[in-house]
Amino acid sequence: MERYLTEFDTRNIPVITVDTVIAGAGIAGLSTAAQLIQLGIKPLIITKKPPSVSNSFLAQGGIAAAIDKDDDPQSHYRDTLKAGRDLCIEKNVRILVEEGLERVIDLIRYGVPFDRDKDGRILLTKEGGHSTRRVLHVKDKTGTAIGSVLYNRVKEKADFLINFYLEEILTLDGEYAGIIISDGIEKVLIKSRSLVIATGGYSPIYLRNTSAYKISGDTIGAAFRAGCTLEDLEFIQFHPTALYIEGQPAYLITEAVRGEGAVLVDEKGERFIDEMKPRDEVARAIFKKYSSGHRVFLDLRPLKEKGISLKDRFPTVYSLLEKFNLSDKDLIPVSPAAHYSIGGIKATANGKTSVEGIFSVGESSCTGIHGANRLASNSLLECITFGYKTAYSVYTYNMYRKIKDFRIKSVPAGKKVLSSEKRREYLVKLKKVMWEYVGLERTESSLKEALSAVEQMENELLHCKNSRYLIDLLYLSKGIILSAKNRKESRGTHYRADYPEEKNDYKKHTKIYNDFKIKLEVD
């Protein structure tokens, strides 16, 4: 594995010096930034696109918290462990459900306009895997509502660099030193005491995915090159109900519509699964229907029968269906799509990674709270809970660190220039390989096929000097494939058709160290 993939000399690049840089401006990054500001640190936030273009801003369903008088964090804790299939790190789940409730109350104080009834009480919905109604929501635009409030709290107190990509994470003697970013024209060197990676997950590495434009997972590949340990990459959650229209993107239809009464049926109008089961079970049931020649639809008519207006309660879904001349009177064609990365950069509940000075939070990280399958609407809770805690961890780290003075030079071996058309071809090929061979159902032969294809692309692209983005995605894909090959069982979102049962020997976390050394370890 190559340490650096781009050509640079830090002595010849414009320099920005700051205390802390945050890569990513979704809810995880903004939560971290908001608390850093409270602690007296003015962060620099770099982002590929404006803050509103992130997966967390797109989150429709809601945020889970045991806020109801008849609910309690212990129940939320049990539901999370059950969904995680004996792989959750329990101490971190405790933090999520207990401190997370406090952070949700903070959001209420900040002015997030969660839906309420006529008496002013917060309305709660139920989603798959939850034993009760505990999901707070703002119609079906919860992510946007939370993200907007957080952005307004930080926009005048943090610095932003928009339309920049993180290309290289620089280290000295195994510790973080700085990053190199680029807008596609010029490079900028940022020296800082610490780096927070909050760039989102890697579901877009699959052909059919629900992810926001420009989110890809390449920064996880860059972090791996910098020495960060990766964990549980084989666990990717496929959302059961993405709109399925040939030639169109996989637009998400929130699980909350099923929580309110929508049902899944085949072409005969027959139900075949309990819609409130965990997502991995529902997604595989749909996948099996398609594999046996059937089609699957979401029937929204029960909502109308219950007096629920799709336009009022789920305006995002309503607008989406209207775009394709569909309505709540129709059967809506759906199929699974890659949606959420359970694995990522191994991190503590305080965001610490295996590299001093590098922190990770949100979907780019893996804290073990989701185990082998994420409980619905725990992801936004993770962003605000661990973003808050990571800020304190960064603060204490910065107290004892100085910004490093250094010169690092990199001259990649590749000399050829890859055309934009060729880059696109490689990207589509990678997405197809991951979707066809490393998707909802995997086997030893399919994983070998995928590994061979990925390694071939890697060997070809190392001869090109402008292939950093693709190679980082290939390193990440290789990690996913090797993790899936190594886990010879089925657990949560990872399903091996040749090993369909859970095995006690695999109640361990998959860790990927430098040069793709794979180990199963207990955390």
Side-chain angles (χ1 to χ4, degrees):
M1 182 174 69
E2 300 296 316
R3 175 61 186 91
Y4 296 114
L5 293 171
T6 61
E7 185 171 355
F8 64 85
D9 183 340
T10 55
R11 292 285 174 89
N12 301 325
I13 304 174
V15 182
I16 297 174
T17 302
V18 296
D19 269 336
T20 296
V21 59
I22 299 174
I27 290 174
L30 293 175
S31 295
T32 308
Q35 197 55 32
L36 281 174
I37 290 165
Q38 292 295 309
L39 296 171
I41 294 176
K42 183 179 184 179
L44 170 64
I45 302 172
I46 63 166
T47 174
K48 294 178 181 179
K49 282 286 177 181
S52 59
V53 183
S54 77
N55 285 337
S56 53
F57 269 72
L58 288 180
Q60 295 177 21
I63 183 168
I67 200 167
D68 187 72
K69 63 181 179 64
D70 296 322
D71 197 5
D72 64 85
Q74 181 64 22
S75 175
H76 190 182
Y77 171 81
R78 287 194 299 268
D79 289 348
T80 300
L81 295 191
K82 185 177 179 181
R85 304 302 304 170
D86 295 318
L87 211 60
C88 296
I89 297 178
E90 295 182 15
K91 63 180 181 180
N92 289 350
V93 177
R94 284 271 180 218
I95 292 167
L96 179 77
V97 301
E98 292 174 359
E99 296 185 24
L101 176 57
E102 297 169 5
R103 301 290 78 79
V104 168
I105 292 169
D106 285 341
L107 293 180
I108 295 169
R109 289 195 304 111
Y110 298 159
V112 175
F114 291 115
D115 292 344
R116 297 173 183 262
D117 64 17
K118 58 183 174 58
D119 296 320
R121 291 177 296 224
I122 288 176
L123 291 169
L124 302 169
T125 193
K126 185 179 179 182
E127 293 186 353
H130 289 276
S131 56
T132 188
R133 287 179 172 264
R134 68 163 61 95
V135 179
L136 297 85
H137 50 81
V138 183
K139 298 188 184 298
D140 60 353
K141 298 182 179 182
T142 311
T144 297
I146 294 172
S148 298
V149 166
L150 290 172
Y151 177 64
N152 287 333
R153 288 180 67 83
V154 308
K155 65 180 180 181
E156 303 298 335
K157 300 173 183 177
D159 291 321
F160 285 83
L161 278 176
I162 298 174
N163 297 324
F164 276 87
Y165 296 74
L166 189 155
E167 288 194 337
E168 301 286 0
I169 300 173
L170 309 177
T171 54
L172 282 176
D173 301 322
E175 290 188 4
Y176 167 76
I179 60 173
I180 293 175
I181 63 174
S182 173
D183 62 358
I185 300 171
E186 68 169 341
K187 296 180 187 291
V188 177
L189 168 63
I190 300 176
K191 291 183 176 182
S192 62
R193 289 181 171 86
S194 52
L195 165 69
V196 179
I197 298 173
T199 50
Y202 50 89
S203 62
I205 217 163
Y206 287 86
L207 186 64
R208 185 167 163 77
N209 68 80
T210 64
S211 196
Y213 177 65
K214 291 291 184 185
I215 309 299
S216 61
D218 60 295
T219 305
I220 299 174
F224 184 52
R225 288 190 284 116
C228 289
T229 300
L230 305 184
E231 185 170 58
D232 292 343
L233 293 185
E234 67 268 38
F235 296 110
I236 298 103
Q237 190 172 74
F238 291 80
H239 198 286
T241 54
L243 187 65
Y244 185 42
I245 295 176
E246 199 68 38
Q248 296 296 328
Y251 295 108
L252 179 71
I253 298 178
T254 174
E255 184 168 323
V257 299
R258 285 177 277 136
E260 297 292 355
V263 296
L264 289 164
V265 298
D266 60 18
E267 70 276 9
K268 296 177 183 176
E270 296 175 354
R271 292 176 69 182
F272 56 90
I273 183 73
D274 176 358
E275 291 82 6
M276 288 291 95
K277 283 190 172 183
R279 285 178 179 173
D280 62 314
E281 295 182 44
V282 180
R284 274 199 301 277
I286 296 172
F287 176 76
K288 286 177 180 176
K289 276 287 182 182
Y290 275 101
S291 298
S292 58
H294 296 282
R295 296 200 68 193
V296 175
F297 301 88
L298 189 63
D299 187 351
L300 301 172
R301 290 172 296 188
L303 272 67
K304 199 167 187 177
E305 292 167 7
K306 292 172 69 175
I308 297 171
S309 166
L310 188 70
K311 187 175 182 178
D312 293 339
R313 174 65 178 87
F314 300 105
T316 303
V317 174
Y318 179 86
S319 297
L320 171 64
L321 298 184
E322 198 174 43
K323 178 179 176 181
F324 293 100
N325 296 316
L326 294 168
S327 75
D328 55 3
K329 297 176 184 176
D330 300 305
L331 293 178
I332 312 303
V334 293
S335 81
H339 177 59
Y340 186 86
S341 313
I342 290 168
I345 301 166
K346 177 172 172 51
T348 67
N350 300 307
K352 293 181 180 180
T353 71
S354 57
V355 176
E356 289 283 311
I358 299 178
F359 300 80
S360 185
V361 66
E363 197 178 349
S364 62
S365 70
C366 181
T367 60
I369 56 167
H370 305 306
N373 183 31
R374 175 175 68 90
L375 184 66
S377 288
N378 268 356
S379 53
L380 293 184
L381 189 65
E382 174 187 18
C383 290
I384 63 167
T385 305
F386 294 127
Y388 183 94
K389 293 182 74 65
T390 295
Y392 283 91
S393 192
V394 169
Y395 178 86
T396 54
Y397 180 85
N398 283 5
M399 287 174 61
Y400 300 99
R401 293 297 188 278
K402 292 182 178 180
I403 294 172
K404 295 177 172 63
D405 185 34
F406 57 86
R407 181 185 184 182
I408 299 175
K409 188 176 180 180
S410 168
V411 182
K415 302 299 179 187
K416 294 198 303 185
V417 175
L418 201 64
S419 69
S420 56
E421 184 180 345
K422 268 292 182 187
R423 284 161 62 94
R424 172 68 183 164
E425 284 179 16
Y426 272 109
L427 184 59
V428 171
K429 182 179 179 182
L430 174 61
K431 287 171 176 275
K432 285 182 176 178
V433 165
M434 295 301 290
W435 180 255
E436 291 174 16
Y437 301 119
V438 202
L440 278 100
E441 196 168 286
R442 303 151 178 185
T443 63
E444 188 70 20
S445 61
S446 76
L447 294 169
K448 282 182 179 177
E449 192 82 27
L451 185 60
S452 175
V454 163
E455 289 181 336
Q456 182 183 339
M457 285 188 275
E458 179 189 339
N459 291 333
E460 292 169 2
L461 287 168
L462 283 172
H463 295 293
C464 303
K465 63 180 183 180
N466 61 334
S467 57
R468 191 281 312 170
Y469 174 75
L470 289 169
I471 292 174
D472 274 336
L473 290 182
L474 286 166
Y475 286 159
L476 179 57
S477 299
K478 190 173 179 177
I480 296 168
I481 296 162
L482 290 172
S483 299
K485 272 176 61 63
N486 194 60
R487 185 172 290 277
K488 299 185 189 303
E489 67 155 357
S490 292
R491 186 181 297 271
T493 63
H494 168 71
Y495 183 77
R496 289 282 300 257
D498 45 356
Y499 297 100
E501 305 297 329
E502 289 183 0
K503 297 180 181 178
N504 286 333
D505 289 347
Y506 286 89
K507 286 183 181 179
K508 299 175 183 178
H509 295 272
T510 306
K511 296 178 185 177
I512 310 178
Y513 298 95
N514 279 353
D515 291 324
F516 297 98
K517 293 172 185 170
I518 304 271
K519 290 184 180 180
L520 278 170
E521 297 177 346
V522 176
D523 277 324

